[in-house]
Amino acid sequence: MKINLIVFGTRPEAIKMAPLVKVFLADPKFITKVCVTAQHREMLDQVLEFFEITPDYDLNVMKPNQNLYSLTATIIEGMKPVLEEVNPDFVYVHGDTTTSMAVGIAAFYSGAKVCHVEAGLRTFDRKYPFPEEFNRQLTGKIADYHFAPTELSKANLLQENTKKESVIVTGNTVIDALLFGIDKVNSNHFKESEIENLKEILDFNNKIVLVTGHRRENHGQGLLNICSALKTIAENNPEVQIIYPVHLNPNVEKPVHELLTGFANIFLVKPLAYAAFIWLMEKSYLIITDSGGIQEEAPSLGKPVLVTRDTTERPEAVEEGTVLLVGTNTHKIIEETQKLISDSTYYNSMSMLHNPYGDGKATSRIVNYIKEL
Ligand code: UD1
Ligand code: UDP
């Protein structure tokens, strides 16, 4: 019997690994254990609760305002006893976080095969996004198997001389999670207090602009510029409602609350549970974000996205015209948002429904591949 160890630590990894956890746990051909580093705490627990996942191991590493040095070291050290006890054949890591990279290194030391889910996305600039591009490239060097979401991510890996037979195009599990999530949220018996709360604070007859942001390279001036743009957009469009679930990173939370509190049509809320967030995405008019996962989800919901970054490792939707890079230039953010609010032809051209990142079957492609080994 093959032994799997699936490891993740942050909110987006948890969302994108949840479908894989569910399918592997239900398959009697495998013994599957789940370990969370808890690089995130509250934001991870929200996801575990929604997908009803109880980890077998929890490293509980998160510290307030943690730094990359100690986070990396603590995760590598924390993984040693887990790897020794489980003695897995396969260790699954996801994407580009410090958890992915540090667990990848530890898994390599243990002698397990490293499976990289969401492999091959690239900006080819190691500083953007920081440190994620480096984390993903390094994890790609460590991995034995690369589950690439798109043909482009496969091409990126082949360009780096990755062995062709170790790269499998699967689609992104973010779409598997999204389809599962929408189904669950729309089912009759599903109740979520955060959704009820959103119904009370927002007027859905108005245009809703949904905002998120957390990238390290936007901390400081970039975030100040974004907030300044949001202020102007709110003042110029009193009928538009801006809702911003604020990331718990103190480098985000503090300036956003300082700059954006007190506006009648700006609503700052805590990070939303996944159910409430996808419900709100569906109800939104447009999304302003620097998030990777949201760039992937929005096209499946037909929502235009303005990305507050200069580069993206997810160019597929940019090429199709539903995602636009606006950077952190205040004027550009105001100008593009205003155009989407007032020009319906332009809005329609950006709200096309398409699925460049997957068809909801990525998980079964990954599981079938591992079964054949
Ligand atoms: C991390 C990932 C980033 C990913 C993002 C998703 C790295 C280096 N960064 O960035 O790639 O896109 O998660 O959101 O891997 N905090 C809490 N509670 C939580 C989560 C965070 O209080 O549940 C606060 C803590 O003070 C923590 C800080 O946020 O120290 C930063 O967390 P960290 O995971 O280091 O960075 P993120 O900006 O969340
Ligand atoms: N998300 C959520 N609640 C929120 C904001 C985002 O559940 O308040 C979900 C979102 O649907 C997506 C993921 O979190 O699946 C994105 O996480 P984040 O932006 O933190 O990280 P990134 O994708 O940029 O690594």
Side-chain angles (χ1 to χ4, degrees):
M1 183 115 57
K2 286 168 179 160
I3 303 177
N4 291 320
L5 179 63
I6 302 179
V7 193
F8 47 90
T10 65
R11 168 174 69 191
E13 290 164 79
I15 292 168
K16 293 165 167 184
M17 287 295 230
L20 196 63
V21 169
K22 295 252 170 227
V23 174
F24 269 137
L25 281 177
D27 194 321
K29 289 209 173 71
F30 296 94
I31 294 171
T32 297
K33 300 287 176 193
V34 177
C35 173
V36 295
T37 63
Q39 174 178 336
H40 283 174
R41 189 69 273 172
E42 303 91 310
M43 287 160 60
L44 172 74
D45 292 343
Q46 284 179 315
V47 182
L48 295 175
E49 191 186 327
F50 179 73
F51 286 97
E52 299 174 58
I53 294 172
T54 310
D56 300 286
Y57 300 90
D58 187 334
L59 305 187
N60 200 22
V61 302
M62 197 196 86
K63 297 265 181 312
N65 208 6
Q66 61 207 0
N67 66 71
L68 296 175
Y69 305 86
S70 62
L71 181 61
T72 306
T74 314
I75 294 172
I76 295 179
E77 290 227 275
M79 283 309 296
K80 182 172 180 280
V82 178
L83 287 158
E84 286 172 353
E85 188 168 304
V86 178
N87 193 19
D89 299 294
F90 301 102
V91 175
Y92 300 80
V93 295
H94 185 279
D96 61 6
T97 66
T98 294
T99 288
S100 329
M101 179 270 292
V103 173
I105 292 173
F108 171 72
Y109 291 158
S110 81
K113 298 279 186 210
V114 177
C115 305
H116 190 196
V117 181
E118 200 186 77
L121 284 69
R122 294 286 185 273
T123 61
F124 293 107
D125 181 339
R126 284 203 300 182
K127 293 227 167 115
Y128 297 94
F130 178 88
E132 289 82 7
E133 175 72 10
F134 168 78
N135 285 344
R136 202 188 298 266
Q137 288 194 19
L138 190 57
T139 310
K141 285 279 168 258
I142 298 165
D144 295 278
Y145 304 109
H146 310 259
F147 297 110
T150 67
E151 289 294 337
L152 179 65
S153 34
K154 176 179 176 179
N156 291 338
L157 286 162
L158 297 187
Q159 190 184 320
E160 292 168 358
N161 296 326
T162 312
K163 273 196 239 145
K164 198 171 166 203
E165 53 287 5
S166 69
V167 183
I168 306 94
V169 177
T170 58
N172 197 314
T173 57
V174 74
I175 306 299
D176 306 29
L178 183 65
L179 298 181
F180 170 89
I182 288 174
D183 237 33
K184 183 162 168 176
V185 171
N186 290 339
S187 68
N188 288 338
H189 42 79
F190 185 78
K191 282 264 169 300
E192 165 67 62
S193 59
E194 286 184 358
I195 295 180
E196 298 313 310
N197 185 39
L198 289 170
K199 283 182 189 161
E200 282 191 9
I201 61 175
L202 296 172
D203 178 352
F204 289 96
N205 295 313
N206 292 324
K207 288 179 177 151
I208 308 287
V209 176
L210 173 59
V211 181
T212 81
H214 66 82
R215 298 250 81 89
R216 267 181 162 72
E217 61 274 18
N218 283 353
H219 293 172
Q221 193 57 48
L223 195 54
L224 302 185
N225 293 350
I226 295 166
C227 289
S228 165
L230 294 175
K231 242 181 341 193
T232 306
I233 294 161
E235 282 164 353
N236 292 350
N237 303 276
E239 75 294 354
V240 165
Q241 297 192 316
I242 298 177
I243 175 135
Y244 187 161
V246 185
H247 194 288
L248 295 179
N249 191 325
N251 302 297
V252 175
E253 216 182 15
K254 192 162 174 281
V256 168
H257 279 275
E258 275 172 14
L259 292 165
L260 296 180
T261 300
F263 291 84
N265 54 341
I266 300 182
F267 301 86
L268 304 179
V269 293
K270 288 211 170 296
L272 291 168
Y274 181 58
F277 192 78
I278 57 181
W279 181 88
L280 183 58
M281 266 199 292
E282 269 199 310
K283 299 263 176 297
S284 297
Y285 181 76
L286 78 97
I287 301 170
I288 302 175
T289 188
D290 59 20
S291 161
I294 296 169
Q295 285 177 64
E296 294 159 341
E297 292 161 341
S300 286
L301 302 171
K303 302 296 172 184
V305 183
L306 299 179
V307 176
T308 50
R309 296 174 50 181
D310 296 322
T311 55
T312 180
E313 61 286 1
R314 297 167 168 91
E316 292 86 347
V318 177
E319 275 153 27
E320 295 209 34
T322 64
V323 169
L324 182 73
L325 297 177
V326 292
T328 55
N329 180 295
T330 306
H331 297 296
K332 176 94 174 152
I333 299 169
I334 297 170
E335 187 188 18
E336 289 298 335
T337 307
Q338 204 58 53
K339 219 158 120 190
L340 281 166
I341 291 171
S342 18
D343 181 343
S344 60
T345 315
Y346 183 60
Y347 179 83
N348 291 338
S349 74
M350 271 192 81
S351 53
M352 180 192 36
L353 209 115
H354 64 127
N355 297 304
Y357 300 108
D359 59 0
K361 297 188 179 116
T363 308
S364 57
R365 292 192 187 98
I366 295 170
V367 173
N368 289 340
Y369 180 84
I370 297 291
K371 268 189 182 157
E372 296 295 314
L373 289 173

